[in-house]
Amino acid sequence: MKRPSETIASCDASCELLISPIPRPRVQALRVSARPQRRRVRFLDTRKPNSLAILRQAGELLRARGIEVEPEIRIKDDPSRPFDAGVLDWIAREEGLILCGVAD
Amino acid sequence: MAHLEEDIERCFEGGWSDGLPVVPPYARLVDPMVERMGWKPTDVAGELADLGVEVRAEQLGAAAVMAGCKLEYAPVLRAVSEALLDPRFNLPGVEVTTGGAAALVIVSGPVVERLGFEHGANALGANARANATVGRFAAMVRYFCGRMGGALEAHGTIGHPGRLSFCIAEHPTTVWGPFHTQLGLPAEASAVTVMATEGPSSINNHYGMTGEAILETIADGIGQLGSTNYYWRGGGYVIVLPPQHMALVSRDYTRAQARRFLYERGVRLTDELLRLGRLPREPMASAQVVPGTLRSPVADEADLTFLESGKDGGKFSAVIPGWVANRPTIKQVRGLEEAR
């Protein structure tokens, strides 16, 4: 996905900078692990329509294949807003794989 | 002139556009706009805490210029900005939702005539500079500020044309009282109300001669099977009444009575909603889904609001569904004395 330019300069001789209408986030960089440290799956439901049913079925399929799956599915409080700091902290501390579902 | 055309293209290429050509946000245009909005350029106008984003006044001023707003609109734009950045509006959610909601701006009170908003012909899509550009400004703020600098994508399934501009002005003289009196402001105030909504549905009734006939038709529009609000019941509805429908309805009903009528009649059987998949088989307890009962798509009749707008002659009302995770956010317009 192409991101909007941070600066645009007008093309006349003065090279006037245009004022950007786009605020940028001030967030700290995240470190992402490429591999889980533990062979375990946990589910995080976003409360979108049908997502819980999909995650439960996914859990059954994984257990049938011998994967350890945490029985409790964590559920997001508000589907219309981003994950809060508590959930992000939970995700960060998890040693296994978190599967997050899903769109409508 | 050549560099203006090229700067318009540069804005397109740089992603500084809502899909339409913009007025390039030169500092010599943005600075006076920011000042008229009552800010200094580096003031933090608001914060989108969920995204870790601070919105500076100059970014809002840039959007106002790009949308084509006149300087004299600045008091309205200031109020719209404050409403959009209010946490109750949930701007990031509005931008990315699968519901494809738009930011509807309702302008009411003396400011409508003062700044030349169209409140008659094609009121929901008026080809008037005030309506088109103020609506576009709100849409741009949603688009530019709700994406975390471009890191987020919108997921609207179908959206609607209001994502480009959606601004409705109320008649300066009303039968039931100004729109904003339903949200706690005094009648003499000028106000903007910003809410995230789906697209409007046209409600046609040309042969009904009673208020009941008109309201029954509108109730059907509210209670239609596809109403998103049946499960979450969070968005409410704006009902737009043009002069001829207003004459019939107000002859027989007060505003409170009309609201109660629509709340009681704009309903469906819960069992039917379950059968057709409009409600999940395992609803949340907080949704209070009770089989064997009638279900309204609003939790509280106060979530039904009336707006008197539109041109005399035809008999079309409109129902505008609110987005489920958003509350109407109202701000008084101040500083109009300096608007000229």
Side-chain angles (χ1 to χ4, degrees):
Chain A
M1 183 173 62
K2 186 183 174 186
R3 296 201 185 184
S5 303
E6 296 211 19
T7 58
I8 294 178
S10 178
C11 61
D12 71 353
S14 66
C15 292
E16 177 183 3
L17 280 180
L18 304 181
I19 306 296
S20 170
I22 303 173
R24 309 285 164 168
R26 294 180 174 185
V27 291
Q28 294 176 346
L30 299 175
R31 206 172 46 177
V32 180
S33 298
R35 282 181 169 272
Q37 297 165 282
R38 184 173 166 175
R39 199 165 179 265
R40 172 177 76 188
V41 172
R42 304 187 81 163
F43 287 107
L44 174 55
D45 176 39
T46 56
R47 274 220 168 145
K48 296 295 285 181
N50 303 311
S51 62
L52 194 57
I54 293 170
L55 296 181
R56 283 179 180 151
Q57 189 169 13
E60 289 170 11
L61 291 170
L62 289 169
R63 286 187 194 96
R65 295 181 185 188
I67 307 294
E68 177 191 350
V69 179
E70 187 74 22
E72 182 200 354
I73 297 177
R74 184 156 183 155
I75 300 176
K76 188 180 177 188
D77 283 341
D78 184 347
S80 73
R81 295 184 186 266
F83 291 128
D84 60 33
V87 173
L88 292 175
D89 184 59
W90 175 78
I91 293 171
R93 286 184 284 107
E94 173 55 40
E95 295 177 329
L97 176 68
I98 294 176
L99 293 179
C100 177
V102 294
D104 293 13
Chain B
M1 186 58 74
H3 97 252
L4 172 61
E5 293 169 358
E6 290 171 9
D7 288 342
I8 291 172
E9 287 302 320
R10 277 186 164 70
C11 287
F12 270 125
E13 291 160 9
W16 292 16
S17 167
D18 56 355
L20 293 167
V22 300
V23 175
Y26 303 116
R28 57 188 152 84
L29 299 179
V30 174
D31 288 346
M33 179 63 79
V34 172
E35 185 178 352
R36 279 285 194 99
M37 291 169 83
W39 281 312
K40 296 190 289 295
T42 53
D43 283 346
V44 175
E47 192 180 346
L48 300 171
D50 289 343
L51 303 186
V53 165
E54 281 183 346
V55 181
R56 293 195 311 278
E58 67 175 5
Q59 289 155 343
L60 298 170
V65 166
M66 294 165 76
C69 295
K70 294 172 74 171
L71 274 180
E72 65 189 47
Y73 301 162
V76 171
L77 302 177
R78 169 78 186 241
V80 170
S81 300
E82 291 173 345
L84 288 167
L85 298 176
D86 189 308
R88 287 173 296 174
F89 182 73
N90 189 7
L91 187 146
V94 176
E95 171 56 18
V96 304
T97 178
T98 54
L104 165 62
V105 179
I106 295 172
V107 185
S108 54
V111 67
V112 170
E113 273 191 328
R114 184 78 178 270
L115 296 183
F117 284 91
E118 174 64 56
H119 52 88
N122 294 301
L124 274 58
N127 296 115
R129 184 173 181 176
N131 304 58
T133 61
V134 169
R136 192 185 183 196
F137 167 75
M140 281 184 162
V141 173
R142 184 214 81 233
Y143 181 64
F144 291 137
C145 298
R147 294 178 163 230
M148 207 173 177
L152 299 178
E153 247 185 275
H155 293 278
T157 306
I158 53 174
H160 70 88
R163 297 271 294 181
L164 287 170
S165 176
F166 198 10
C167 175
I168 308 172
E170 183 172 54
H171 293 318
T173 302
T174 57
V175 176
W176 279 340
F179 177 84
H180 50 263
T181 57
Q182 298 169 96
L183 296 172
L185 286 187
E188 63 273 16
S190 285
V192 298
T193 306
V194 180
M195 55 190 296
T197 71
E198 299 178 357
S201 292
S202 179
I203 308 294
N204 180 338
N205 189 323
H206 276 70
Y207 304 109
M209 297 307 295
T210 64
E212 181 187 1
I214 305 305
L215 289 178
E216 194 70 66
T217 316
I218 293 172
D220 188 68
I222 291 171
Q224 56 99 0
L225 262 179
S227 276
T228 305
N229 286 319
Y230 266 121
Y231 184 39
W232 302 96
R233 301 200 293 188
Y237 295 80
V238 177
I239 296 100
V240 183
L241 289 166
Q244 294 204 353
H245 276 179
M246 192 66 214
L248 290 171
V249 173
S250 63
R251 187 183 64 194
D252 301 332
Y253 298 87
T254 64
R255 187 160 67 186
Q257 290 169 336
R259 181 178 294 120
R260 171 53 62 101
F261 182 105
L262 294 178
Y263 178 68
E264 292 178 347
R265 300 293 293 170
V267 295
R268 290 266 176 176
L269 289 169
T270 301
D271 292 356
E272 183 184 28
L273 296 169
L274 285 164
R275 180 178 70 84
L276 293 172
R278 290 294 302 110
L279 299 171
R281 291 191 207 98
E282 295 180 31
M284 302 178 300
S286 58
Q288 298 179 313
V289 175
V290 182
T293 64
L294 289 169
R295 186 172 181 85
S296 167
V298 293
D300 188 321
E301 65 180 79
D303 292 337
L304 298 170
T305 51
F306 296 93
L307 178 62
E308 299 178 36
S309 193
K311 191 174 172 61
D312 205 359
K315 291 185 173 182
F316 301 88
S317 290
V319 167
I320 307 175
W323 180 56
V324 295
N326 167 263
R327 301 301 301 163
T329 309
I330 186 167
K331 301 291 179 184
Q332 194 161 347
V333 178
R334 303 184 191 279
L336 281 173
E337 303 74 35
E338 295 86 35
R340 292 272 184 222

